[in-house]
Amino acid sequence: MNSRTYDSGADYDAQYSALYEPEIRTLTALALRQGGAVLDLCCGTGIVTVPLAETGLEVVGVDISAEMLATAKAKAVGRENLTFVRQDALEFISGQRFGLALMTGNAFQAFLSEEHVKALLAQVYEHLRPGGVFIFDTRLPEGYDFTLDDDFKLWSEYRDAAGDLARFLVKQTAFDAEHGVLHYEMQDVFADGTVKPSSETLKFTPLRTLLTWVRAAGFEVVGEYQNWHLEPLQAGAAAAVLELRKPN
């Protein structure tokens, strides 16, 4: 598994928290429809996890980063229906069976081999009750530009934890076409001139291949969407949200 690292969860929240409104709205409705406990894998700072717990449902968030979980736990003080576990998603073991499992932020792509993707699907399937749903987002190679960059490009601007304007720059530096694995170098450039480098590697799995794997894991595919607004998936899309169900 691969993931971008952050010095603090506050850095992540400053950059991304405002972007998760569609996920929160859709997942809240789905969690209430499903009923029962909710499992948020690779939950990060709890941007989605904490609002889900506000429904009153029991929620478990799992993440490997102590820094991200520290921020998540600070948001969850006093919530007895919310538990955070520091663990690799592939190693999470619980006797509990969940009505809903989810992954957001394209965390699904951090599992960089076919073996790990299939292991993740098996892990989620095992932890769902019959009729339980697994929903996640992922970018797709069908609509993605894998051209390597000569220099860093502006990806976004955001307000950092201090409220100052920061720029996020990205450079695509290496692509393994056989395995669909793309490596990025990144820079956060802050108002005082400080530059914080980071890197990330993600796996892009063709939709047809991915659907074959999820069905082989035992899931039924109940929804293929363009985004978290649940608009129907279009041919050649650069990203998808997939809704899977464990049969009754």
Side-chain angles (χ1 to χ4, degrees):
M1 180 181 172
N2 161 80
S3 63
R4 182 184 174 202
T5 58
Y6 291 83
D7 293 336
S8 73
D11 293 337
Y12 185 90
D13 277 0
Q15 189 170 355
Y16 293 111
S17 61
L19 305 178
Y20 275 83
E21 190 277 333
E23 287 91 328
I24 292 169
R25 184 178 63 251
T26 294
L27 290 167
T28 297
L30 182 56
L32 290 171
R33 187 189 80 193
Q34 284 293 112
V38 177
L39 177 62
D40 186 358
L41 292 170
C42 305
C43 67
T45 64
I47 290 175
V48 174
T49 330
V50 174
L52 287 175
E54 292 172 355
T55 65
L57 296 172
E58 183 178 358
V59 180
V60 176
V62 179
D63 202 277
I64 200 169
S65 168
E67 292 78 10
M68 301 286 265
L69 286 180
T71 299
K73 290 176 180 178
K75 300 175 187 177
V77 173
R79 293 204 169 275
E80 296 183 358
N81 63 322
L82 176 53
T83 303
F84 288 105
V85 178
R86 186 188 178 195
Q87 199 163 31
D88 188 316
L90 293 179
E91 298 174 358
F92 175 72
I93 298 175
S94 172
Q96 192 169 17
R97 294 299 176 260
F98 297 86
L100 174 65
L102 61 107
M103 298 179 77
T104 59
N106 298 300
F108 188 85
Q109 291 182 261
F111 298 84
L112 299 180
S113 68
E114 178 179 342
E115 176 186 3
H116 282 174
V117 173
K118 289 180 175 179
L120 173 67
L121 292 169
Q123 177 82 323
V124 175
Y125 189 91
E126 174 66 21
H127 283 86
L128 287 174
R129 72 177 189 223
V133 165
F134 177 36
I135 188 167
F136 65 93
D137 55 9
T138 182
R139 301 179 190 91
L140 298 173
E142 290 87 341
Y144 196 88
D145 182 1
F146 293 98
T147 303
L148 301 184
D149 298 318
D150 295 325
D151 204 351
F152 286 93
K153 296 180 179 179
L154 179 65
W155 186 276
S156 65
E157 294 182 328
Y158 64 97
R159 295 286 173 181
D160 63 20
D164 296 323
L165 186 66
R167 294 182 299 139
F168 181 51
L169 310 179
V170 176
K171 181 180 180 181
Q172 296 183 172
T173 58
F175 179 54
D176 177 352
E178 180 181 357
H179 299 100
V181 174
L182 180 63
H183 183 74
Y184 305 81
E185 296 294 330
M186 305 167 175
Q187 293 181 347
D188 289 272
V189 182
F190 298 97
D192 64 359
T194 301
V195 177
K196 185 178 71 176
S198 59
S199 63
E200 188 169 47
T201 306
L202 299 175
K203 180 173 177 59
F204 290 73
T205 303
L207 179 61
R208 179 175 294 183
T209 300
L210 188 52
L211 292 175
T212 298
W213 291 352
V214 301
R215 290 184 173 114
F219 286 104
E220 300 171 345
V221 180
V222 296
E224 301 175 33
Y225 309 112
Q226 189 92 358
N227 48 44
W228 285 102
H229 297 289
L230 304 187
E231 297 170 345
L233 185 63
Q234 303 297 314
V241 174
L242 298 183
E243 182 180 354
L244 316 177
R245 179 179 292 121
K246 181 176 181 175
N248 287 306

